[in-house]
Amino acid sequence: MGHNENRVPFHIRSAVPADAAQIFALVTELAAYEKLSAAVDATAETLAQALFGTAPRVFCDMAEQDGEPIGLAVWFYTFSTFRGRHGIWLEDLYVRPAFRGRGTGKALLAGLAARCVRENLARLEWSVLDWNTPSIAFYKAMGAVLMDEWTNCRCEGGALSSLAALAAGKADPVRI
């Protein structure tokens, strides 16, 4: 999988612990592209622990060309109570700009779709920034449906701590 006429072939493989620094480099490139560099507080070490530590709950597929990483897909399993089955959440899909337009992103996405089919998973899902029209067009071309009626929610930092304090009975639920 992963080559077109007159193009240098690439291949997709599961990431291994030795990839941690390259995964981190690709994640920081993605963050810069998404104008979110300030939000990155991960390190190569924290990513390595999450991906390759005891009982990992997140996974990474690497795209390589001539032994060099050119892209990645970071993903984890989800669950749909409505479908009664697991699915996959694609956290990050990134291909280095010099390697775009060669089918790498499509191959990474197709590999996850194949995993879903092979494992009888209900769905493959991800989010995309509203302004990222090239990615939106790419995802639509791959058959994705944008879920406009859904809004992502996030709780982090102080808000997460305040919400957690409710579980310990240390906060006033009315004031949160």
Side-chain angles (χ1 to χ4, degrees), residues 32 42 45 55-56 67 72 75 78 81 101 107 111 115 133 143 158 160 162 164 169 171-172 176:
E45 293 75 24
L72 59 66
W75 58 274
T78 60
T81 54
R115 178 180 293 276
T133 53
L160 183 61
S162 294
D172 179 356
I176 293 181

Side-chain angles (χ1 to χ4, degrees), residues 132-165:
N132 193 344
T133 53
S135 292
I136 290 169
F138 169 71
Y139 295 142
K140 285 182 176 180
M142 296 299 103
V145 175
L146 273 63
M147 306 293 290
D148 294 331
E149 67 275 15
W150 291 86
T151 300
N152 289 333
C153 299
R154 177 177 294 163
C155 198
E156 61 186 358
L160 183 61
S161 296
S162 294
L163 185 56

Side-chain angles (χ1 to χ4, degrees), residues 67-83:
E68 293 298 317
I70 63 171
L72 59 66
V74 177
W75 58 274
F76 53 89
Y77 290 98
T78 60
F79 186 78
S80 169
T81 54
F82 289 4
R83 302 291 307 276

Side-chain angles (χ1 to χ4, degrees), residues 2-157:
H3 67 278
N4 295 337
E5 293 177 27
N6 304 318
R7 309 242 174 164
V8 177
F10 62 87
H11 73 278
I12 309 293
R13 63 170 177 79
S14 296
V16 297
D19 293 322
Q22 290 295 335
I23 292 167
F24 179 68
L26 290 164
V27 168
T28 57
E29 289 176 29
L30 170 62
Y33 172 75
E34 292 183 338
K35 302 173 182 64
L36 294 170
S37 293
V40 176
D41 63 2
T43 64
E45 293 75 24
T46 59
L47 288 174
Q49 180 59 36
L51 289 162
F52 310 113
T54 305
R57 291 179 275 182
V58 63
F59 308 93
C60 181
D61 297 334
M62 300 287 292
E64 283 186 339
Q65 181 176 302
D66 294 329
E68 293 298 317
I70 63 171
L72 59 66
V74 177
W75 58 274
F76 53 89
Y77 290 98
T78 60
F79 186 78
S80 169
T81 54
F82 289 4
R83 302 291 307 276
R85 296 181 5 231
H86 286 89
I88 286 178
W89 181 269
L90 173 60
E91 180 65 18
D92 290 324
L93 177 67
Y94 180 70
V95 175
R96 288 187 158 143
F99 300 94
R100 293 181 187 161
R102 300 178 183 189
T104 309
K106 185 185 292 187
L108 286 161
L109 205 55
L112 289 176
R115 178 180 293 276
C116 288
V117 170
R118 194 170 55 248
E119 297 179 13
N120 193 31
L121 306 178
R123 57 176 64 133
L124 172 59
E125 299 178 287
W126 62 94
S127 61
V128 60
L129 291 165
D130 292 345
W131 59 261
N132 193 344
T133 53
S135 292
I136 290 169
F138 169 71
Y139 295 142
K140 285 182 176 180
M142 296 299 103
V145 175
L146 273 63
M147 306 293 290
D148 294 331
E149 67 275 15
W150 291 86
T151 300
N152 289 333
C153 299
R154 177 177 294 163
C155 198
E156 61 186 358

